[in-house]
Amino acid sequence: KRGVRILTGLGKYFQQLDKEGNGLLDKADFKQALKVFHLEVSEKDFESAWLILDDNGNGKVDYGEFKRGIIGEMNEYRKSYVRKA
C-alpha cells in the first residue's frame, strides 16, 4: 500500500517541482523529492538510480521515465487492453 501511495504522491510532487512546466526534473529536484518522501539513499545508490532513470541521457527525468524505471514496461496483456481502449 505504501508503495502505491509513494508513487502517486511523487507524481503529484513532481508536478509541483516542475516550475518550467515541461514535465522534467533535474537531478537536484529529484533528490529533493526523494527526501520529502523519506526515501533516503546513499549518494552512490542515488547516482546509480539516476543513471537508470535518465534513460535518454538528457540530464533530466520525466515522470514516465521514473515509472518505467520503478515499475517496468507494461506486459503484453496490458498493452493490448490499452490499445483496445
Side-chain angles (χ1 to χ4, degrees), residues 67-69 71-83:
K67 282 194 322 188
R68 282 189 300 279
I71 299 171
E73 292 291 331
M74 286 191 285
N75 63 33
E76 285 305 314
Y77 173 77
R78 288 180 64 204
K79 285 181 185 178
S80 71
Y81 191 76
V82 169
R83 283 191 286 271

Side-chain angles (χ1 to χ4, degrees), residues 28-84:
D29 287 338
F30 185 68
K31 189 178 278 192
Q32 174 66 26
L34 294 179
K35 285 183 183 178
V36 166
F37 282 82
H38 306 287
L39 299 171
E40 304 204 14
V41 296
S42 70
E43 189 63 30
K44 182 180 177 183
D45 289 341
F46 175 81
E47 290 299 326
S48 296
W50 181 259
L51 289 174
I52 292 167
L53 295 173
D54 182 21
D55 63 358
N56 62 8
N58 67 349
K60 305 259 184 179
V61 66
D62 68 32
Y63 189 58
E65 287 176 317
F66 175 75
K67 282 194 322 188
R68 282 189 300 279
I70 300 297
I71 299 171
E73 292 291 331
M74 286 191 285
N75 63 33
E76 285 305 314
Y77 173 77
R78 288 180 64 204
K79 285 181 185 178
S80 71
Y81 191 76
V82 169
R83 283 191 286 271
K84 288 177 186 177

